[in-house]
Amino acid sequence: MSLSAPPHAGHGLPELLLSYLPDLSVGAILGFCAGYAIKRLGKMTVLIVGLLFVALQIMAWQGLLTIHWPRIQALAEPWLRQGGEQLGNWGLRILQTNLPFRGGFVAALLVGLRAR
């Protein structure tokens, strides 16, 4: 009967980190992809909205149509508020789940948003 330590003794931290590696890596990959997609879609959306605004302003300037901006704001405001609430709830759900996945996801999401 030997009282020597098992062969894996003293290696607890690396083993612990290795056990979280799958969650961290999947979270990082998905976070980067989501960040990159959000950035690209955001740029495309801004371009389309900007071009639409310019086109509407030119048509209004030419007298082809009349734009009632207060009415448009009143119609859009509930949609924007609801979208913000849903995005906030989605973000909270992500932050309240699996810690290793969440950490990798959030970090890589920020990297994806900064990617060229």
Side-chain angles (χ1 to χ4, degrees):
M1 177 152 61
S2 171
L3 296 176
S4 64
H8 64 280
H11 300 289
L13 186 59
E15 289 176 6
L16 180 64
L17 292 176
L18 284 175
S19 69
Y20 289 122
L21 193 58
D23 285 341
L24 284 170
S25 60
V26 170
I29 291 168
L30 294 177
F32 179 81
C33 292
Y36 191 78
I38 289 169
K39 180 180 178 179
R40 293 295 176 205
L41 287 173
K43 284 184 175 183
M44 195 179 322
T45 302
V46 167
L47 176 67
I48 291 170
V49 169
L51 289 174
L52 180 61
F53 175 74
V54 169
L56 288 172
Q57 288 298 96
I58 290 172
M59 288 189 282
W61 178 63
Q62 293 291 324
L64 297 172
L65 57 93
T66 302
I67 302 171
H68 300 283
W69 290 113
R71 177 75 176 133
I72 291 173
Q73 180 181 356
L75 290 172
E77 198 170 316
W79 287 10
L80 294 173
R81 188 178 307 115
Q82 182 182 9
E85 290 171 0
Q86 289 176 351
L87 183 62
N89 289 338
W90 176 78
L92 282 176
R93 281 194 310 266
I94 287 176
L95 294 176
Q96 293 173 345
T97 57
N98 188 353
L99 180 64
F101 177 85
R102 173 181 56 201
F105 182 88
V106 171
L109 175 75
L110 296 175
V111 171
L113 287 171
R114 305 267 311 163
R116 292 191 184 265

